[in-house]
Amino acid sequence: MMWEPRQCVYRIVLGCMLLEICSHYHAQGLNVCMSGSATSCEECLLIHPSCSWCAQEEFGRVRTLMSRCDLSQNLQKRGCEAYSIESPRSTSRIVKSQPLSSKGSGPTQYDVTQIMPQKISLSLRPNDQTSFKVQVRQVEDYPVDLYYLMDLSLSMKDDLHTIRNLGNKLADEMSKLTSNFRLGFGSFVDKNMSPFSYTASKYQDNPCNGYKLFPNCVPSFGFRHLLSLTDKVDRFNEEVQKQMVSRNRDAPEGGFDAILQAAVCKDKIGWRKEAFHLLVFATDDVPHLALDGKLGGLVQPHDGECHMNEKHEYSGSTKMDYPSLALLGEKLAENNIYLIFAVTKRLYVIYKNFTALIPGTTVEILDGDSKNIIQLIVNAYNNIRSKVELTVWDQPEDLSLSFTATCQDGQSLPGLRKCGDLKIGDTVSFNVSVDARGCPAPGTKQSFTIKPVGFKDSLEVTVDYRCSCGCSHHTQANSSRCSSNGQYTCGLCHCDSGHLGARCECHEGEAGFLYQGACREAEGRQVCSGRGECSCNQCLCYESEFGKIYGAFCECDDFSCARHKGVLCAGHGECHCGECKCHAGYIGDNCNCSLETLSCVSDDGQMCSGRGNCVCGRCQCTEPGAFGDTCEKCPTCPDACGTKRDCIECRLFNSGKLADNQTCQRLCKDKIITVETLDTDDSSAVLCLYKTENECVMKFTYSEHASGMSVLTALKEPECGTAPDAMTVLLAVVGSILLVGIVLLAIWKLVITVHDRREFARFQSARSRARYEMACNPLYKQPITSHPVETDFSMYSKSYNGAAH
């Protein structure tokens, strides 16, 4: 076959083009930009943040369309001028940044700044990430507004008596923490309707009618605002002394109705914008929740608005249902209110669970008669101000945010947005990374707010998207560069219907068999990889039910990449020409490996409890014997007994270094079983013991069940030496004295007896010698001489007879 010179030149040019493309592919590899399906500048920007587009007209005349989308350095090497390269980057710009304040009261109290910066503007390219730094400081001597919300049901009558002089005492204590303190007061009982309260006519004026233990009380009510926030604390005492308790029918109270009204009726309550807001909720029973109102026929959900009438009472009590936990949390956060649950010990666990669902809340144990209420409030205030936690409001769905906290120890903690164990005046910082996952409609501007929990201060972040190219603003319709058959934009022709080719020079249906070599990726390969047709020296790829087929030679698709558990690129990446291009935060051939470390952080803040490494978002334990999601379980580790001891002390005896309520509940989640006698023969359990402060010995065992649950089995009470009974001691002492006395008497008697016997023997011996002398001595003469006496009885006889007469 003979070819014309013009055809030969065209063939040579095409051959050189293919040779250059093949050599480039072999030298560079199928990089993410060139392996994409970009046929325009905007599509190129969406492939990857590193991709750039060359809008230079002469560039790519003999190249495929995709060659314009490449890495910036590759485009320059191939002759694209730097000014013609479109490669927008994500940027952040600080709009407002006032310095952090150091003190909250005084002349500058209305200009206090606790977060820096205050406004930031972001320009985001899709899948590109930018970051900024946020600093937070809790200033000293910040004004405090405290609203005391008290349950006035009948069971709280002794508490009412206790707080009659609360105002002055609380003001004295709070003056040690702030010089600007205001106090308010409100009360609640429950909805005044059946079945929540007594509604019979005889109970209308006195629900306690017929109740012998407490015969007089006031009608029940939902919520009653009694004293707006004021610095005249004597008025608090006056209002409390006027109050009387009421009586409702069921055990739960209507406290959540009262909390919501105290939060949203901010003008009537008197919340100051420039103050720390504390709402103390004191009760001895559980609250009614959303949907409980249906028991009384209340089907209308709570609207979250203020409904306080001229009598300062909640007018919607018998019209709307109780509020939900979500609504309560939203309104508290919206009005920067810290809620303190002051509840009795038996309710602690219930309200502790509420704190996990309502941000910015804490729970403290209230004595039965509220005598510890002042110390409780001070402790809660110090606890709240010892931590900083960031929240995000109105986050757009196509934005991904990640946080890294830098607390007082200076260590970076990826994945965390809070710091604890702070002192007032400490400054902490957070690095916030923002990633746009896609492009909204052109011209869309979005915003979100970053706000520390309970603070009035916030950071406003505005976002616009860099999804378009500058060259798109110079589009030419029916351009001569496109044979007047299409529009010219960013160096390319977009042909009108019925036209094909790099310059729209071909018509659909024209034969191109002589030029099909330009549609082969290499000699011997199929035309358009067997997945398309060659038309006007270009491949038109077939459609596929599995996805999109694309590329200069239809060599690429978006469905032939590696999968994880049947999901393409594990759902965390995009398939580009047989290779997974992972989203930010994921790596691996199939993008199943997460770089997120938050799931590896144990409750104590350590990575994998300090016993392993975080790999693909999961802990791989390196300490022998350690296991669990964060390697937190390790009965055989040297520190196991010491770690579990702290939990035993705080959970069972409310003592030790974890005695703080929130710390104990957060770190100590093991099941604890108390027994009278400890079984120490179980080989699968580790025996632990320690000496308590009062010199007793506490014993417990630590084991892991097959279910994966950690179980601590402990004695109910430490083993102590039993103190002797006083009477026993007394009898023992008296008995000992008597016994010693008897023994001494016996010894004395024995000594005297021996002595007497010796003396008697000596006497007998002397006596025997004396008898011998009287009987045998010839010189011895008796000292007594005997003489005979003769008596004349006749004379006596006569005398007697004469006397008788």
Side-chain angles (χ1 to χ4, degrees), residues 26 65 338 577 608 718 738:
H26 287 295
L65 299 180
Y338 276 106
C577 205
C608 297
L738 291 175

Side-chain angles (χ1 to χ4, degrees), residues 65-126:
L65 299 180
M66 269 60 70
S67 65
R68 288 182 177 272
C69 185
D70 201 345
L71 302 176
S72 179
Q73 60 269 29
N74 291 346
L75 292 175
Q76 292 189 51
K77 288 179 181 178
R78 286 163 40 207
C80 186
E81 299 292 340
Y83 63 84
S84 297
I85 295 178
E86 296 280 348
S87 183
R89 303 253 62 86
S90 294
T91 60
S92 64
R93 180 174 61 89
I94 297 177
V95 179
K96 181 180 180 182
S97 181
Q98 294 180 349
L100 295 172
S101 304
S102 58
K103 195 170 183 179
S105 295
T108 61
Q109 68 178 23
Y110 300 109
D111 299 320
V112 172
T113 302
Q114 298 183 96
I115 186 171
M116 184 178 72
Q118 294 81 44
K119 288 185 179 181
I120 282 183
S121 176
L122 303 180
S123 293
L124 300 179
R125 175 176 170 172

Side-chain angles (χ1 to χ4, degrees), residues 222-266:
F223 164 66
R224 183 175 292 160
H225 171 54
L226 300 170
L227 177 66
S228 298
L229 291 162
T230 176
D231 55 2
K232 297 178 176 60
V233 294
D234 289 339
R235 291 197 57 199
F236 179 92
N237 299 338
E238 294 173 3
E239 288 297 331
V240 173
Q241 290 172 4
K242 296 177 185 178
Q243 303 311 308
M244 291 182 62
V245 294
S246 182
R247 184 187 181 198
N248 59 321
R249 193 167 199 168
D250 58 353
E253 320 290 5
F256 279 8
D257 267 344
I259 291 175
L260 186 62
Q261 293 303 299
V264 298
C265 299
K266 48 189 176 183

Side-chain angles (χ1 to χ4, degrees), residues 138 142-149 170 174 177-178 181-185 229 262-263 269 271-272 275-281 332 335-341 360-362 374 376-385 454:
Q138 297 224 42
Y142 197 64
V144 176
D145 287 348
L146 189 150
Y147 191 77
Y148 193 85
L149 187 57
L170 184 57
M174 293 301 292
L177 305 174
T178 177
F181 175 67
R182 299 202 311 177
L183 184 62
F185 181 56
L229 291 162
I269 300 297
W271 297 114
R272 292 176 293 178
F276 196 81
H277 301 159
L278 294 179
L279 177 58
V280 179
F281 178 78
L332 289 171
N335 294 282
N336 308 319
I337 295 175
Y338 276 106
L339 176 61
I340 302 172
F341 288 124
T361 58
T362 184
I374 293 179
L376 181 152
I377 293 173
V378 173
N379 290 344
Y381 175 80
N382 289 330
N383 184 30
I384 290 170
R385 299 216 65 188

Side-chain angles (χ1 to χ4, degrees), residues 353-641:
N353 293 333
F354 289 156
T355 64
L357 302 173
I358 308 176
T361 58
T362 184
V363 59
E364 298 288 343
I365 297 177
L366 181 70
D367 286 348
D369 57 358
S370 297
K371 63 183 179 182
N372 70 326
I373 186 65
I374 293 179
Q375 191 58 45
L376 181 152
I377 293 173
V378 173
N379 290 344
Y381 175 80
N382 289 330
N383 184 30
I384 290 170
R385 299 216 65 188
S386 68
K387 58 188 176 184
V388 168
E389 181 176 1
L390 298 184
T391 57
V392 181
W393 289 64
D394 303 323
Q395 178 180 342
E397 293 183 358
D398 57 354
L399 291 185
S400 175
L401 272 65
S402 60
F403 292 80
T404 299
T406 303
C407 303
Q408 283 304 103
D409 56 5
Q411 294 184 353
S412 296
L413 302 172
L416 293 184
R417 58 173 71 180
K418 64 180 178 180
C419 289
D421 298 326
L422 304 177
K423 297 178 182 178
I424 295 177
D426 287 347
T427 302
V428 295
S429 63
F430 302 87
N431 191 72
V432 185
S433 298
V434 185
D435 180 15
R437 292 190 290 265
C439 278
T444 298
K445 284 191 175 184
Q446 296 177 326
S447 63
F448 61 92
T449 301
I450 296 177
K451 182 178 180 181
V453 175
F455 285 47
K456 73 174 182 64
D457 307 76
S458 62
L459 167 61
E460 297 179 15
V461 183
T462 58
V463 181
D464 59 56
Y465 297 83
R466 310 195 70 174
C467 297
S468 61
C469 299
C471 57
S472 298
H473 300 297
H474 306 288
T475 300
Q476 300 174 10
N478 299 320
S479 173
S480 58
R481 296 186 178 96
C482 304
S483 307
S484 299
N485 294 321
Q487 70 176 15
Y488 178 81
T489 179
C490 294
L492 284 180
C493 284
H494 295 278
C495 301
D496 297 336
S497 177
H499 296 273
L500 301 171
R503 292 292 178 262
C504 305
E505 71 275 17
C506 298
H507 294 275
E508 288 184 0
E510 288 184 350
F513 297 107
L514 295 178
Y515 312 109
Q516 286 188 354
C519 295
R520 288 188 175 94
E521 189 173 5
E523 190 66 31
R525 295 286 184 90
Q526 288 182 297
V527 174
C528 297
S529 302
R531 304 199 293 181
E533 294 181 354
C534 184
S535 177
C536 197
N537 306 325
Q538 293 183 345
C539 285
L540 300 179
C541 302
Y542 297 139
E543 293 183 356
S544 173
E545 60 180 336
F546 300 108
K548 185 178 181 180
I549 299 174
Y550 57 91
F553 310 104
C554 301
E555 76 280 10
C556 295
D557 60 57
D558 60 1
F559 53 82
S560 297
C561 293
R563 297 172 182 265
H564 178 68
K565 296 182 178 179
V567 180
L568 190 68
C569 299
H572 302 305
E574 306 296 335
C575 181
H576 288 289
C577 205
E579 183 178 355
C580 286
K581 304 303 176 184
C582 303
H583 294 156
Y586 292 90
I587 59 173
D589 293 338
N590 53 12
C591 301
N592 69 321
C593 182
S594 172
L595 296 177
E596 178 62 56
T597 59
L598 181 60
S599 58
C600 295
V601 179
S602 56
D603 288 334
D604 59 1
Q606 297 188 74
M607 192 67 65
C608 297
S609 303
R611 301 178 181 131
N613 301 316
C614 188
V615 179
C616 295
R618 302 187 67 181
C619 283
Q620 292 185 355
C621 305
T622 56
E623 181 80 20
F627 62 100
D629 292 339
T630 57
C631 304
E632 76 280 6
K633 300 176 181 179
C634 186
T636 59
C637 289
D639 61 341
C641 284

Side-chain angles (χ1 to χ4, degrees), residues 650-798:
C650 73
R651 288 272 297 277
L652 295 185
F653 308 112
N654 196 27
S655 62
K657 61 183 180 181
L658 298 182
D660 168 66
N661 292 331
Q662 291 187 342
T663 303
C664 185
Q665 293 295 320
R666 178 172 59 85
L667 297 183
C668 303
K669 299 178 180 178
D670 299 333
K671 180 179 180 181
I672 299 180
I673 301 173
T674 57
V675 295
E676 296 288 349
T677 305
L678 193 65
D679 180 16
T680 58
D681 297 330
D682 187 358
S683 59
S684 63
V686 177
L687 176 63
C688 302
L689 52 88
Y690 66 90
K691 184 177 290 187
T692 63
E693 294 179 354
N694 53 359
E695 300 301 319
C696 296
V697 176
M698 183 62 190
K699 296 181 181 179
F700 64 93
T701 59
Y702 171 29
S703 61
E704 300 288 343
H705 282 191
S707 62
M709 179 183 293
S710 300
V711 179
L712 304 177
T713 305
L715 292 174
K716 286 186 176 180
E717 296 292 339
E719 293 181 348
C720 303
T722 56
D725 183 69
M727 183 59 70
T728 303
V729 173
L730 179 61
L731 293 175
V733 171
V734 173
S736 299
I737 293 173
L738 291 175
L739 180 61
V740 171
I742 292 171
V743 171
L744 291 175
L745 286 173
I747 294 173
W748 177 78
K749 180 63 176 177
L750 178 61
V751 172
I752 294 301
T753 302
V754 172
H755 178 269
D756 288 349
R757 287 183 178 179
R758 287 179 179 175
E759 292 298 324
F760 183 72
R762 192 178 298 116
F763 169 74
Q764 290 290 357
S765 176
R767 184 178 179 186
S768 298
R769 287 197 300 273
R771 288 179 179 175
Y772 169 79
E773 290 177 352
M774 287 187 295
C776 302
N777 191 352
L779 300 177
Y780 180 77
K781 187 176 181 179
Q782 284 285 350
I784 301 173
T785 303
S786 299
H787 296 278
V789 178
E790 294 181 1
T791 305
D792 187 4
F793 287 99
S794 61
M795 180 180 66
Y796 288 101
S797 174
K798 291 179 180 181

Side-chain angles (χ1 to χ4, degrees), residues 27-43:
Q28 298 293 334
L30 290 176
N31 66 52
V32 64
C33 304
M34 294 188 67
S35 63
S37 58
T39 58
S40 68
C41 183
E42 284 73 18
E43 290 181 5

